[in-house]
Amino acid sequence: MIDFSKFKSLFSVMNYFHDEQMCKQTLADARWNGDVVCPYCGKHHCSTRKNGRYRCNKCKKNFSVLVGTIFENTKLPLYKWFVAMYLISSHKKGVSSCQLSRDIEVSQATAWYMLQKIRLLYPQNDSERMRCVVECDEVYIGGKEKWKHQSMRTPHTQGRSTATKVPVFGMLERSRYIDDKGVERQMTYVHAMAVDKTDKSTLQPIIEQFVDKGSLIMTDELSAYKGLDKLGYRHWIVRHSEAEYVKKTNVDEIKEGDPIDIFTNSIEGFWSHFRRMIVGCYHNVTDEHLQSYIDEAVYRWNTRKMTEDERFEHMFNLSIGLVITWNDLKSCEYVA
């Protein structure tokens, strides 16, 4: 099996994956570890043909190591895919299709297609639930009217208007973990999604789906969060309209394990990273593909404690067993 800890830099990745045969052998070792399994019928111990492809002795189908991965039917060399995956996993705010096209010498359209495929490797897990202390907040993406000529501006787009902006709702769980030295450290995990509205009927069902009852939820004073206490949550509010950003907790409300301060600064820190990724790297995203960019930002945030080689290994393993077609990219869905 490949030792991913050796990939500490882009140079080490390019030096290791120096030809197509090495790339395919690495992919085969990661998938089957010497026991080739037919991707069509699932039979083991398939035979190897002289041209490097495989043949299933049961269903009599021929296949390559690429079948059943995101690299299936690709016309590009595998080492370009692996370099692209490493660049995406190691850059803090992502890589644009224009930059990737220059780095690996492909067209911009091909680079965009590769990026969209790789983004679908890390969709958010809707089965995971949050607990303990959770911050909730919303942000609006797009609709910068101030750069337009006065005659071309859409009226009434300030604040929370969705006339030219897409609302994104996010939840952040504050938790703790023990590091390698036995020291307890704080860690935060995010779940975010594009929504149609930021009203009570939209946001509260999402909170009920992802946050355990009895959890402590911190929000701003948006009216959509009113009534969370009646749903079985403990709800603390920080009032930004009154210039409150960190508020001390009432002693009578504190229970064992509760934080001393009330704030939503952690989820707002994630929004800051997300905005900088959009504005600084991609410049603009369409509403159609916004969720895939949100998933990318969430993945980067939730894996920020990983090293470059650990994140590259994680993405490499996710690429196995995932088939993505052009229609999947258009609909932002995938077939496992």
Side-chain angles (χ1 to χ4, degrees):
M1 294 293 290
I2 183 174
D3 180 15
F4 282 88
S5 63
K6 66 178 70 175
F7 300 132
K8 300 296 184 182
S9 65
L10 179 60
F11 177 80
S12 61
V13 174
M14 297 179 67
N15 189 50
Y16 184 85
F17 297 110
H18 52 81
D19 59 29
E20 193 72 1
Q21 184 58 38
M22 174 59 72
C23 295
K24 288 185 177 181
Q25 186 59 48
T26 302
L27 196 57
D29 292 343
R31 290 190 70 181
W32 301 313
N33 195 22
D35 183 14
V36 180
V37 180
C38 176
Y40 298 108
C41 67
K43 186 183 183 301
H44 291 251
H45 309 295
C46 299
S47 58
T48 305
R49 307 194 67 180
K50 291 182 179 180
N51 59 0
R53 292 170 63 85
Y54 303 94
R55 181 174 178 82
C56 177
N57 297 323
K58 182 179 180 181
C59 64
K60 306 302 180 183
K61 289 186 177 181
N62 299 321
F63 59 92
S64 73
V65 68
L66 305 183
V67 176
T69 70
I70 68 168
F71 316 112
E72 186 174 340
N73 296 324
T74 183
K75 301 299 188 295
L76 293 174
L78 276 180
Y79 71 84
K80 291 195 175 186
W81 278 100
F82 294 162
V83 169
M85 289 170 62
Y86 186 84
L87 287 172
I88 295 169
S89 64
S90 59
H91 285 211
K92 187 175 182 180
K93 292 182 175 65
V95 181
S96 69
S97 59
C98 294
Q99 183 62 52
L100 184 62
S101 69
R102 293 189 290 267
D103 290 341
I104 64 175
E105 296 182 347
V106 297
S107 68
Q108 183 273 334
T110 299
W112 181 90
Y113 178 71
M114 296 173 69
L115 286 169
Q116 289 297 95
K117 262 197 168 186
I118 293 172
R119 283 192 189 100
L120 292 181
L121 292 178
Y122 33 75
Q124 300 177 66
N125 187 355
D126 289 345
S127 65
E128 293 180 348
R129 296 185 62 81
M130 296 181 170
R131 58 185 63 86
C132 299
V133 181
V134 179
E135 299 177 22
C136 295
D137 196 28
E138 65 289 331
V139 72
Y140 294 80
I141 302 299
K144 288 284 186 180
E145 294 287 314
K146 65 179 180 180
W147 306 117
K148 294 183 180 180
H149 189 273
Q150 187 71 31
S151 62
M152 299 179 65
R153 294 181 184 178
T154 305
H156 310 299
T157 60
Q158 295 78 16
R160 301 179 184 275
S161 170
T162 58
T164 59
K165 292 175 283 190
V166 178
V168 180
F169 177 61
M171 298 162 287
L172 178 144
E173 176 189 337
R174 299 187 207 165
S175 59
R176 296 184 177 275
Y177 74 101
I178 306 298
D179 64 11
D180 297 336
K181 298 181 180 179
V183 179
E184 186 180 61
R185 299 187 181 277
Q186 184 169 324
M187 181 65 178
T188 58
Y189 297 93
V190 173
H191 196 103
M193 65 206 72
V195 294
D196 295 328
K197 299 179 181 179
T198 55
D199 56 4
K200 185 175 183 178
S201 61
T202 301
L203 300 189
Q204 291 198 8
I206 297 175
I207 294 175
E208 287 188 282
Q209 178 183 353
F210 292 103
V211 183
D212 285 345
K213 300 290 185 179
S215 299
L216 173 58
I217 296 180
M218 297 185 180
T219 70
D220 56 21
E221 66 272 39
L222 182 68
S223 60
Y225 301 120
K226 290 182 179 180
L228 286 176
D229 51 343
K230 298 179 181 179
L231 297 177
Y233 300 102
R234 301 170 60 206
H235 185 201
W236 291 357
I237 301 174
V238 55
R239 303 187 183 281
H240 293 164
S241 61
E242 300 176 9
E244 284 183 354
Y245 298 99
V246 179
K247 185 174 69 173
K248 293 296 181 182
T249 318
N250 189 333
V251 178
D252 298 333
E253 298 178 350
I254 294 180
K255 296 183 180 180
E256 184 178 355
D258 283 351
I260 298 175
D261 297 325
I262 305 173
F263 59 84
T264 58
N265 296 344
S266 302
I267 184 68
E268 288 167 2
F270 169 73
W271 294 140
S272 177
H273 277 263
F274 179 51
R275 285 181 181 275
R276 291 172 188 270
M277 183 187 82
I278 298 297
V279 176
C281 180
Y282 302 117
H283 305 310
N284 184 42
V285 298
T286 62
D287 297 349
E288 178 186 6
H289 296 288
L290 176 60
Q291 186 60 51
S292 65
Y293 289 92
I294 296 172
D295 292 341
E296 177 184 353
V298 169
Y299 177 79
R300 293 184 187 281
W301 181 274
N302 292 343
T303 61
R304 66 192 183 281
K305 298 297 183 182
M306 289 184 179
T307 60
E308 284 81 0
D309 55 285
E310 290 173 340
R311 193 182 290 111
F312 178 56
E313 179 181 9
H314 187 234
M315 291 181 64
F316 189 93
N317 292 331
L318 288 175
S319 68
I320 300 172
L322 188 64
V323 180
I324 302 172
T325 66
W326 174 252
N327 289 331
D328 297 330
L329 291 183
K330 290 193 296 183
S331 62
C332 297
E333 298 176 353
Y334 68 92
V335 179

